[in-house]
Amino acid sequence: MDFVNAFIVGGLICVVGQLFFDFTKLTPGHVMCIFVVIGSILDGFGIYDKLIKFAGAGATVPITSFGHSLLHGAMAEASDHGFIGIGMGIFSLTSSGISAAILFSFIVALIFKPKG
């Protein structure tokens, strides 16, 4: 049942993204930013943790989870270190994902020749 829940929730997130593309003139960058903000808002209200508990990878793999991680880390460190903890928390939870994105995009840029 865990796989079904993950498939349904992840699929619904993708359907919402596709609806944004089909019925608006938003670019992929805009939609990505909207999903990050939605993930942050849902984490702020404590909803995203419940969604992760229900759907597992269906909620942790999409980009909305990045917004959840940003806010979750910032709030955890802010309670310990105050205002400076906000920046520390953002980078402590998301640094591996950001580093991997930079590294893999560099490797892909070396292998393939971009046009334009």
Side-chain angles (χ1 to χ4, degrees), residues 13 48 56-66:
I13 292 171
Y48 210 82
T60 58
V61 172
I63 193 70
T64 51
S65 180
F66 186 69

Side-chain angles (χ1 to χ4, degrees), residues 28-72:
H30 290 111
V31 174
M32 184 178 65
C33 290
I34 288 170
F35 277 139
V36 170
V37 170
I38 288 171
S40 298
I41 291 170
L42 291 176
D43 185 52
F45 288 115
I47 298 170
Y48 210 82
D49 286 328
K50 294 175 187 171
L51 187 63
I52 289 173
K53 198 176 270 188
F54 173 74
T60 58
V61 172
I63 193 70
T64 51
S65 180
F66 186 69
H68 158 72
S69 297
L70 287 172
L71 187 68
H72 204 72

Side-chain angles (χ1 to χ4, degrees), residues 73-74 77-78 80-94:
E77 290 295 322
D80 293 340
H81 300 292
F83 186 72
I84 194 73
I86 294 172
M88 291 169 44
I90 287 173
F91 292 117
S92 68
L93 278 181
T94 59

Side-chain angles (χ1 to χ4, degrees), residues 1-11 53-56 58-59:
M1 196 63 184
D2 292 337
F3 296 117
V4 174
N5 292 341
F7 179 77
I8 290 171
V9 170
K53 198 176 270 188
F54 173 74

Side-chain angles (χ1 to χ4, degrees), residues 100-115:
I102 292 170
L103 176 68
F104 292 131
S105 62
F106 178 73
I107 291 171
V108 168
L110 289 177
I111 295 171
F112 299 101
K113 302 293 182 226
K115 296 179 183 175

